Amino acid sequence: MRHISFLAAYIALLAPSISADSNLSEPLSSQQILPDNFKPPQVFQNLNLLRNTNLEKGYVRETVNVVIENIDSKPQNEYYIPFSVDVIGNVGGLEVRDKKTPGPSFKTELVEYDPYSPTQFFRTTFPQPLSPKSQLTLSITYHILSTLTPLPFKIGQSDRQYLRHTFSTYTPSAYPTLKQKTKLKFPSPDVPDVIGGSPERQGSTFTYGPYNDLVPAGALEPASVRYEFTKPVIHATLLERDIEISHWGGNLATEERYWLTNQGAHLKDNFNRVQWAAAQYYKPPTSALRDLNVPLKVGSLNPYFTDDIGNVSTSRFRSNKREANLELKPRYPVFGGWKYSFRIGWDADLKSFLRVLKSAEGGHVLKVPFLEGPKMGEGVGYGKVELQVVLPEGAKNVKYETEVPLVKVEEMVHRTFMDTVGRTTLKLTACNVADEARDKPLIVTYDYPFSAAFRKPVTIFLGIAAVFLTAWGIGRLDVSIGKQS
């Protein structure tokens, strides 16, 4: 079954370029639409390709290192990366770089040519065209969320969990490949089922190939593996993250709202609380989510943890000169198919994140993590992340830069207590984000004139003065009924 409606919605959402955005004043690029009969020009060939698939987390992480050669008679600068229609809506964090030359990633965008085609493409544009017979070593990295399926689908409360990963032993490519190899890294050597191919096993690593015969473009060799993963498959369908800047208070307030679900195997029987409580004494491996560990920046303070019911007291905050760690324990263990929504927040010293520039316009540079949140060994996937940066009232000329691929950027006004015109707010939306984005910063620059800093004090002064003047004026009125003497 082809997910045509979902693909159409995903392509519409990915209208902006996948490459890092840097300036809010620049319009977002339009979707690249190609003819329905489009096929990638056969101007390259893959001389040597190595694909590494890491299955140690609850989502698939892939790195493809490939040496390409321009076999055309003209310089070429566009390289196409194919994905099947079933998985392209779950692909995130796609980056293409020159493996031998350090530098920023190449511009990569989703192209649309036929929504009914079983294969869709990302297009990478090289900074400089590759001349004929020249070679280039590419490093292609990405992750795929929500494609691992539990097998069996239902298990006992204390049973081991197994996931199935379906793939092709031939790396999907829009170009012919002369030599290639595929490696799979599992969390443990317990891999009971292998369908398709004859891999070489070395502990928890499987190797398919090398394939030294020419593999034509688009060739696939279906295979699947079933492996043990007795950990929760944590997925946040939505994360709303708010960062509020206060110049007067010197504070950076952060709040994150999560809608979590466990995509692991469901329980085949009812939940047994007595059995669960007894197992906590020796804590065996489990597919249920028991707790979350949230590392914060050193100096963070005033954390809180609430859910739909109210304050959750089963949390612990540890802070010292070297680390700050927030340990969360949900009200109940989150088994496969179960959901849990909550919010956390904390404060931090603004001086650690903001730098003031010496300029007449009052330039400021804010550097914050694009993503914080839980840091778990089994990983966390985010279907959608909405990040709002609420700047002080009067901030203008807002620009930003981040390496996280964005699908939507908005500038709006956020009104709160004692505001006049409202606070400038930058809203960034990203899809299919993995917890590896924790290391990627978001840099926001804006102008904040000296006069704007006095907007709120003047507003408060005028408001109080207006109250006293009104009271004085009312007190001077003669509202007596009798005649004046």
Side-chain angles (χ1 to χ4, degrees):
M1 178 180 180
R2 299 176 182 175
H3 306 281
I4 302 301
S5 60
F6 178 78
L7 175 64
Y10 180 73
I11 290 179
L13 196 61
L14 277 179
S17 169
I18 298 296
S19 60
D21 301 278
S22 62
N23 195 328
L24 189 63
S25 62
E26 297 179 0
L28 299 173
S29 61
S30 59
Q31 178 66 36
Q32 300 297 320
I33 301 178
L34 302 176
D36 292 348
N37 58 353
F38 168 78
K39 290 185 178 180
Q42 298 300 294
V43 295
F44 294 105
Q45 71 173 359
N46 302 323
L47 301 180
N48 194 0
L49 185 149
L50 173 62
R51 176 174 61 164
N52 291 294
T53 302
N54 192 305
L55 301 173
E56 294 179 307
K57 293 191 175 184
Y59 52 87
V60 181
R61 295 178 293 167
E62 292 203 345
T63 301
V64 179
N65 297 321
V66 55
V67 181
I68 66 172
E69 181 183 22
N70 182 2
I71 58 176
D72 196 51
S73 59
K74 299 179 181 179
Q76 301 292 334
N77 68 337
E78 293 182 351
Y79 186 87
Y80 289 86
I81 305 171
F83 289 94
S84 68
V85 69
D86 296 328
V87 304
I88 195 168
N90 299 319
V91 175
L94 179 62
E95 292 186 352
V96 183
R97 302 175 182 271
D98 185 349
K99 185 174 178 59
K100 295 184 178 181
T101 304
S105 58
F106 299 155
K107 179 182 178 181
T108 304
E109 56 192 349
L110 180 69
V111 296
E112 177 186 358
Y113 71 102
D114 181 9
Y116 295 94
S117 172
T119 304
Q120 302 294 327
F121 297 95
F122 282 93
R123 181 173 63 189
T124 295
T125 303
F126 305 147
Q128 300 294 332
L130 190 64
S131 57
K133 296 183 180 181
S134 296
Q135 298 179 5
L136 178 65
T137 304
L138 299 179
S139 176
I140 307 172
T141 59
Y142 56 90
H143 53 259
I144 308 175
L145 306 182
S146 304
T147 57
L148 301 175
T149 56
L151 188 68
F153 183 72
K154 293 184 177 182
I155 60 176
Q157 186 170 311
S158 57
D159 291 349
R160 292 184 177 182
Q161 176 180 259
Y162 289 85
L163 301 181
R164 180 177 62 183
H165 172 54
T166 303
F167 63 104
S168 171
T169 58
Y170 293 157
T171 303
S173 178
Y175 308 98
T177 305
L178 301 183
K179 182 179 180 180
Q180 64 175 300
K181 182 190 296 185
T182 295
K183 289 186 176 182
L184 272 66
K185 176 64 175 177
F186 299 98
S188 72
D190 188 2
V191 186
D193 296 333
V194 179
I195 301 176
S198 300
E200 176 186 348
R201 304 191 181 194
Q202 294 181 346
S204 59
T205 302
F206 284 15
T207 302
Y208 292 83
Y211 301 108
N212 296 317
D213 298 330
L214 177 66
V215 177
L220 299 175
E221 188 67 25
S224 67
V225 291
R226 189 172 74 98
Y227 60 97
E228 183 196 357
F229 191 86
T230 311
K231 303 175 184 178
V233 184
I234 309 173
H235 182 79
T237 55
L238 174 62
L239 165 61
E240 294 179 346
R241 174 171 160 85
D242 296 343
I243 300 175
E244 186 171 344
I245 310 300
S246 174
H247 281 208
W248 273 95
N251 185 62
L252 185 142
T254 303
E255 180 176 281
E256 298 181 338
R257 298 175 292 277
Y258 292 84
W259 283 262
L260 281 187
T261 183
N262 187 347
Q263 295 182 332
H266 293 208
L267 290 179
K268 65 180 180 181
D269 300 315
N270 293 330
F271 171 61
N272 189 325
R273 182 168 291 276
V274 175
Q275 179 185 352
W276 174 259
Q280 298 313 298
Y281 287 99
Y282 56 95
K283 292 188 177 181
T286 177
S287 60
L289 174 61
R290 289 185 290 206
D291 47 41
L292 294 166
N293 182 41
V294 184
L296 303 179
K297 297 295 182 181
V298 176
S300 299
L301 65 160
N302 303 327
Y304 58 89
F305 173 31
T306 64
D307 60 10
D308 296 337
I309 298 176
N311 181 62
V312 185
S313 59
T314 52
S315 63
R316 179 186 178 190
F317 179 62
R318 295 183 292 108
S319 177
N320 52 47
K321 296 181 179 180
R322 295 178 298 176
E323 63 176 359
N325 199 45
L326 180 59
E327 300 172 356
L328 311 176
K329 187 175 182 180
R331 292 184 185 271
Y332 52 85
V334 184
F335 284 92
W338 294 14
K339 299 179 181 180
Y340 186 65
S341 57
F342 64 94
R343 69 176 60 196
I344 58 176
W346 62 91
D347 295 328
D349 188 359
L350 185 60
K351 294 180 181 179
S352 302
F353 303 89
L354 187 68
R355 184 164 60 94
V356 181
L357 303 179
K358 295 181 179 179
S359 62
E361 296 80 10
H364 291 69
V365 179
L366 177 70
K367 183 177 181 181
V368 294
F370 184 90
L371 183 70
E372 291 186 82
K375 185 176 182 180
M376 309 291 290
E378 55 269 26
V380 182
Y382 300 86
K384 185 178 181 181
V385 177
E386 294 182 350
L387 171 59
Q388 284 194 144
V389 181
V390 183
L391 301 174
E393 189 176 21
K396 57 184 180 180
N397 193 22
V398 181
K399 300 179 181 180
Y400 72 96
E401 182 176 353
T402 180
E403 294 181 359
V404 178
L406 304 175
V407 298
K408 190 177 182 181
V409 180
E410 300 175 84
E411 183 176 338
M412 59 185 66
V413 176
H414 175 76
R415 289 181 172 84
T416 184
F417 182 69
M418 294 300 292
D419 282 346
T420 53
V421 297
R423 304 186 183 185
T424 304
T425 300
L426 176 65
K427 183 177 181 180
L428 310 177
T429 303
C431 289
N432 299 327
V433 181
D435 54 355
E436 295 175 349
R438 290 178 53 90
D439 300 329
K440 296 184 178 180
L442 168 65
I443 300 176
V444 180
T445 63
Y446 59 95
D447 293 337
Y448 189 60
F450 182 76
S451 59
F454 292 92
R455 183 189 300 269
K456 189 174 290 292
V458 170
T459 302
I460 296 175
F461 172 78
L462 293 178
I464 296 176
V467 171
F468 277 98
L469 288 175
T470 302
W472 177 81
I474 294 176
R476 298 287 297 174
L477 294 176
D478 185 5
V479 294
S480 60
I481 300 176
K483 296 181 179 180
Q484 294 181 358
S485 57

